[in-house]
CSV table of all heavy atoms in Angstrom, one decimal:
chain,number,residue,atom,x,y,z
A,1,ALA,N,22.0,-7.7,-4.9
A,1,ALA,CA,21.6,-6.8,-3.8
A,1,ALA,C,20.5,-5.9,-4.4
A,1,ALA,O,19.5,-5.6,-3.7
A,1,ALA,CB,22.8,-6.1,-3.2
A,2,VAL,N,20.8,-5.4,-5.5
A,2,VAL,CA,19.8,-4.4,-6.2
A,2,VAL,C,18.5,-5.2,-6.5
A,2,VAL,O,17.4,-4.6,-6.2
A,2,VAL,CB,20.4,-3.8,-7.5
A,2,VAL,CG1,19.4,-3.1,-8.3
A,2,VAL,CG2,21.6,-2.9,-7.1
A,3,ARG,N,18.6,-6.4,-6.9
A,3,ARG,CA,17.4,-7.2,-7.2
A,3,ARG,C,16.6,-7.4,-5.9
A,3,ARG,O,15.4,-7.4,-5.9
A,3,ARG,CB,17.8,-8.5,-7.9
A,3,ARG,CG,18.1,-8.4,-9.3
A,3,ARG,CD,18.3,-9.7,-10.0
A,3,ARG,NE,18.7,-9.5,-11.4
A,3,ARG,CZ,19.5,-10.2,-12.1
A,3,ARG,NH1,20.0,-11.3,-11.5
A,3,ARG,NH2,19.7,-10.0,-13.3
A,4,ALA,N,17.4,-7.8,-4.9
A,4,ALA,CA,16.7,-8.0,-3.6
A,4,ALA,C,16.1,-6.7,-3.1
A,4,ALA,O,14.9,-6.8,-2.6
A,4,ALA,CB,17.8,-8.5,-2.5
A,5,ARG,N,16.7,-5.6,-3.2
A,5,ARG,CA,16.1,-4.3,-2.8
A,5,ARG,C,14.9,-4.0,-3.7
A,5,ARG,O,13.9,-3.5,-3.2
A,5,ARG,CB,17.2,-3.2,-2.9
A,5,ARG,CG,18.0,-3.2,-1.6
A,5,ARG,CD,18.9,-2.0,-1.6
A,5,ARG,NE,20.0,-2.2,-2.6
A,5,ARG,CZ,20.7,-1.2,-3.2
A,5,ARG,NH1,20.4,0.0,-2.9
A,5,ARG,NH2,21.6,-1.5,-4.0
A,6,LEU,N,15.0,-4.3,-5.0
A,6,LEU,CA,13.9,-4.1,-5.9
A,6,LEU,C,12.7,-4.9,-5.5
A,6,LEU,O,11.6,-4.5,-5.4
A,6,LEU,CB,14.3,-4.4,-7.3
A,6,LEU,CG,13.3,-4.2,-8.4
A,6,LEU,CD1,12.8,-2.7,-8.4
A,6,LEU,CD2,13.8,-4.6,-9.7
A,7,LEU,N,13.0,-6.2,-5.1
A,7,LEU,CA,11.9,-7.1,-4.7
A,7,LEU,C,11.3,-6.6,-3.4
A,7,LEU,O,10.1,-6.6,-3.2
A,7,LEU,CB,12.5,-8.5,-4.5
A,7,LEU,CG,11.5,-9.6,-4.2
A,7,LEU,CD1,10.4,-9.8,-5.2
A,7,LEU,CD2,12.2,-11.0,-4.0
A,8,GLU,N,12.1,-6.2,-2.5
A,8,GLU,CA,11.6,-5.6,-1.2
A,8,GLU,C,10.8,-4.4,-1.5
A,8,GLU,O,9.7,-4.2,-0.8
A,8,GLU,CB,12.8,-5.3,-0.3
A,8,GLU,CG,13.5,-6.5,0.4
A,8,GLU,CD,14.7,-6.1,1.2
A,8,GLU,OE1,14.9,-4.8,1.4
A,8,GLU,OE2,15.4,-7.0,1.6
A,9,SER,N,11.3,-3.5,-2.4
A,9,SER,CA,10.5,-2.3,-2.7
A,9,SER,C,9.2,-2.6,-3.3
A,9,SER,O,8.2,-2.0,-3.0
A,9,SER,CB,11.3,-1.4,-3.6
A,9,SER,OG,12.5,-1.0,-3.0
A,10,ARG,N,9.1,-3.6,-4.2
A,10,ARG,CA,7.9,-4.0,-4.8
A,10,ARG,C,6.9,-4.5,-3.7
A,10,ARG,O,5.7,-4.2,-3.7
A,10,ARG,CB,8.1,-5.0,-5.9
A,10,ARG,CG,8.7,-4.4,-7.1
A,10,ARG,CD,8.8,-5.4,-8.2
A,10,ARG,NE,9.4,-4.8,-9.4
A,10,ARG,CZ,10.0,-5.5,-10.4
A,10,ARG,NH1,10.1,-6.8,-10.3
A,10,ARG,NH2,10.5,-4.8,-11.4
A,11,GLU,N,7.4,-5.4,-2.8
A,11,GLU,CA,6.6,-5.9,-1.8
A,11,GLU,C,6.1,-4.8,-0.8
A,11,GLU,O,4.9,-4.8,-0.4
A,11,GLU,CB,7.3,-7.0,-1.0
A,11,GLU,CG,7.5,-8.3,-1.7
A,11,GLU,CD,8.4,-9.3,-1.0
A,11,GLU,OE1,8.8,-9.0,0.2
A,11,GLU,OE2,8.7,-10.3,-1.6
A,12,GLU,N,7.0,-3.9,-0.5
A,12,GLU,CA,6.6,-2.7,0.3
A,12,GLU,C,5.5,-1.9,-0.4
A,12,GLU,O,4.6,-1.4,0.2
A,12,GLU,CB,7.8,-1.8,0.6
A,12,GLU,CG,7.6,-0.6,1.5
A,12,GLU,CD,7.2,-1.0,2.9
A,12,GLU,OE1,7.3,-2.1,3.3
A,12,GLU,OE2,6.7,-0.1,3.6
A,13,ALA,N,5.7,-1.7,-1.8
A,13,ALA,CA,4.7,-0.9,-2.5
A,13,ALA,C,3.3,-1.6,-2.5
A,13,ALA,O,2.3,-1.0,-2.4
A,13,ALA,CB,5.2,-0.8,-4.0
A,14,LYS,N,3.3,-3.0,-2.6
A,14,LYS,CA,2.1,-3.7,-2.6
A,14,LYS,C,1.4,-3.6,-1.2
A,14,LYS,O,0.2,-3.4,-1.1
A,14,LYS,CB,2.3,-5.2,-2.8
A,14,LYS,CG,2.5,-5.6,-4.3
A,14,LYS,CD,2.7,-7.1,-4.4
A,14,LYS,CE,3.1,-7.4,-5.8
A,14,LYS,NZ,3.3,-8.9,-6.0
A,15,ARG,N,2.2,-3.6,-0.1
A,15,ARG,CA,1.7,-3.5,1.2
A,15,ARG,C,1.1,-2.1,1.4
A,15,ARG,O,0.0,-1.9,1.9
A,15,ARG,CB,2.8,-3.7,2.2
A,15,ARG,CG,2.3,-3.7,3.7
A,15,ARG,CD,3.5,-3.9,4.7
A,15,ARG,NE,4.4,-2.8,4.7
A,15,ARG,CZ,4.2,-1.6,5.2
A,15,ARG,NH1,3.1,-1.3,5.8
A,15,ARG,NH2,5.1,-0.7,5.2
A,16,LEU,N,1.9,-1.1,0.9
A,16,LEU,CA,1.4,0.3,1.1
A,16,LEU,C,0.1,0.5,0.2
A,16,LEU,O,-0.8,1.3,0.6
A,16,LEU,CB,2.5,1.3,0.7
A,16,LEU,CG,3.7,1.4,1.6
A,16,LEU,CD1,4.8,2.3,1.1
A,16,LEU,CD2,3.2,1.9,3.0
A,17,ALA,N,0.1,-0.1,-1.0
A,17,ALA,CA,-1.1,0.0,-1.8
A,17,ALA,C,-2.3,-0.6,-1.1
A,17,ALA,O,-3.4,-0.1,-1.1
A,17,ALA,CB,-0.9,-0.7,-3.1
A,18,GLY,N,-2.1,-1.7,-0.4
A,18,GLY,CA,-3.2,-2.3,0.4
A,18,GLY,C,-3.6,-1.4,1.6
A,18,GLY,O,-4.8,-1.2,1.8
A,19,GLU,N,-2.7,-0.8,2.2
A,19,GLU,CA,-3.0,0.1,3.3
A,19,GLU,C,-3.7,1.4,2.8
A,19,GLU,O,-4.7,1.8,3.4
A,19,GLU,CB,-1.7,0.6,4.0
A,19,GLU,CG,-1.1,-0.4,5.0
A,19,GLU,CD,0.1,0.2,5.7
A,19,GLU,OE1,0.2,1.4,5.8
A,19,GLU,OE2,0.9,-0.6,6.1
A,20,GLU,N,-3.3,1.8,1.6
A,20,GLU,CA,-3.9,3.0,1.0
A,20,GLU,C,-5.3,2.7,0.6
A,20,GLU,O,-6.3,3.5,0.9
A,20,GLU,CB,-3.1,3.4,-0.3
A,20,GLU,CG,-3.8,4.6,-1.0
A,20,GLU,CD,-3.1,4.9,-2.3
A,20,GLU,OE1,-2.5,4.0,-2.9
A,20,GLU,OE2,-3.2,6.0,-2.8
A,21,SER,N,-5.6,1.5,0.1
A,21,SER,CA,-6.9,1.0,-0.3
A,21,SER,C,-7.8,1.0,1.0
A,21,SER,O,-8.9,1.4,1.0
A,21,SER,CB,-6.9,-0.3,-0.9
A,21,SER,OG,-8.1,-0.8,-1.2
A,22,GLY,N,-7.2,0.4,2.1
A,22,GLY,CA,-8.0,0.4,3.3
A,22,GLY,C,-8.3,1.8,3.9
A,22,GLY,O,-9.4,2.0,4.3
A,23,ILE,N,-7.3,2.6,3.8
A,23,ILE,CA,-7.5,4.0,4.3
A,23,ILE,C,-8.6,4.7,3.4
A,23,ILE,O,-9.5,5.4,3.9
A,23,ILE,CB,-6.2,4.8,4.3
A,23,ILE,CG1,-5.3,4.2,5.4
A,23,ILE,CG2,-6.4,6.3,4.5
A,23,ILE,CD1,-3.9,4.7,5.4
A,24,LEU,N,-8.5,4.5,2.1
A,24,LEU,CA,-9.5,5.2,1.2
A,24,LEU,C,-10.9,4.6,1.5
A,24,LEU,O,-11.8,5.4,1.5
A,24,LEU,CB,-9.1,5.0,-0.3
A,24,LEU,CG,-7.9,5.8,-0.8
A,24,LEU,CD1,-7.6,5.4,-2.2
A,24,LEU,CD2,-8.3,7.3,-0.7
A,25,GLY,N,-11.0,3.3,1.7
A,25,GLY,CA,-12.3,2.7,2.1
A,25,GLY,C,-12.8,3.3,3.4
A,25,GLY,O,-14.0,3.7,3.5
A,26,SER,N,-11.9,3.5,4.3
A,26,SER,CA,-12.4,4.1,5.6
A,26,SER,C,-12.8,5.5,5.4
A,26,SER,O,-13.8,6.0,6.0
A,26,SER,CB,-11.2,4.1,6.6
A,26,SER,OG,-10.9,2.7,7.0
A,27,LEU,N,-12.1,6.3,4.6
A,27,LEU,CA,-12.4,7.7,4.3
A,27,LEU,C,-13.8,7.8,3.6
A,27,LEU,O,-14.6,8.6,3.9
A,27,LEU,CB,-11.4,8.4,3.5
A,27,LEU,CG,-10.1,8.8,4.2
A,27,LEU,CD1,-9.0,9.3,3.2
A,27,LEU,CD2,-10.4,9.8,5.3
A,28,MET,N,-14.0,6.9,2.7
A,28,MET,CA,-15.3,6.9,2.0
A,28,MET,C,-16.4,6.5,2.9
A,28,MET,O,-17.5,7.1,2.9
A,28,MET,CB,-15.2,5.9,0.8
A,28,MET,CG,-14.4,6.3,-0.4
A,28,MET,SD,-14.1,5.1,-1.7
A,28,MET,CE,-15.8,4.7,-2.2
A,29,LYS,N,-16.2,5.6,3.8
A,29,LYS,CA,-17.2,5.2,4.8
A,29,LYS,C,-17.5,6.4,5.8
A,29,LYS,O,-18.6,6.7,6.1
A,29,LYS,CB,-16.7,4.0,5.6
A,29,LYS,CG,-17.6,3.6,6.8
A,29,LYS,CD,-18.9,3.0,6.3
A,29,LYS,CE,-19.7,2.4,7.5
A,29,LYS,NZ,-21.0,2.9,7.5
A,30,LEU,N,-16.4,7.1,6.2
A,30,LEU,CA,-16.6,8.3,7.0
A,30,LEU,C,-17.3,9.4,6.3
A,30,LEU,O,-18.2,10.1,6.9
A,30,LEU,CB,-15.2,8.8,7.5
A,30,LEU,CG,-14.5,7.9,8.6
A,30,LEU,CD1,-13.1,8.4,8.8
A,30,LEU,CD2,-15.3,7.9,9.9
A,31,ASP,N,-17.0,9.6,5.0
A,31,ASP,CA,-17.7,10.6,4.3
A,31,ASP,C,-19.2,10.2,4.1
A,31,ASP,O,-20.1,11.1,4.2
A,31,ASP,CB,-17.1,10.7,2.9
A,31,ASP,CG,-17.6,11.9,2.1
A,31,ASP,OD1,-17.7,13.0,2.7
A,31,ASP,OD2,-18.0,11.7,0.9
A,32,GLU,N,-19.5,9.0,3.9
A,32,GLU,CA,-20.9,8.5,3.8
A,32,GLU,C,-21.6,8.7,5.2
A,32,GLU,O,-22.7,9.2,5.2
A,32,GLU,CB,-20.9,7.0,3.4
A,32,GLU,CG,-22.3,6.5,3.2
A,32,GLU,CD,-22.3,5.0,2.8
A,32,GLU,OE1,-21.4,4.7,2.0
A,32,GLU,OE2,-23.1,4.3,3.3
A,33,ASP,N,-20.9,8.4,6.2
A,33,ASP,CA,-21.5,8.6,7.6
A,33,ASP,C,-21.7,10.1,7.8
A,33,ASP,O,-22.8,10.5,8.4
A,33,ASP,CB,-20.6,8.0,8.7
A,33,ASP,CG,-20.5,6.5,8.7
A,33,ASP,OD1,-21.4,5.9,8.0
A,33,ASP,OD2,-19.7,6.0,9.4
């Protein structure tokens, strides 16, 4: 169960990192605009 939760947490962290990257890209574009 701990391993499953750890795997889920890692997948969630990857998903959040992707969202963060997208948000940072959007912020950079807005700043440039």
Side-chain angles (χ1 to χ4, degrees):
V2 168
R3 284 186 181 149
R5 278 188 286 154
L6 180 62
L7 184 61
E8 285 175 10
S9 294
R10 285 182 180 161
E11 288 175 5
E12 181 69 13
K14 284 182 187 178
R15 185 184 66 76
L16 290 175
E19 282 184 25
E20 178 186 25
S21 177
I23 290 171
L24 285 175
S26 295
L27 284 175
M28 288 173 57
K29 175 72 172 125
L30 288 173
D31 189 47
E32 184 179 317
D33 289 347

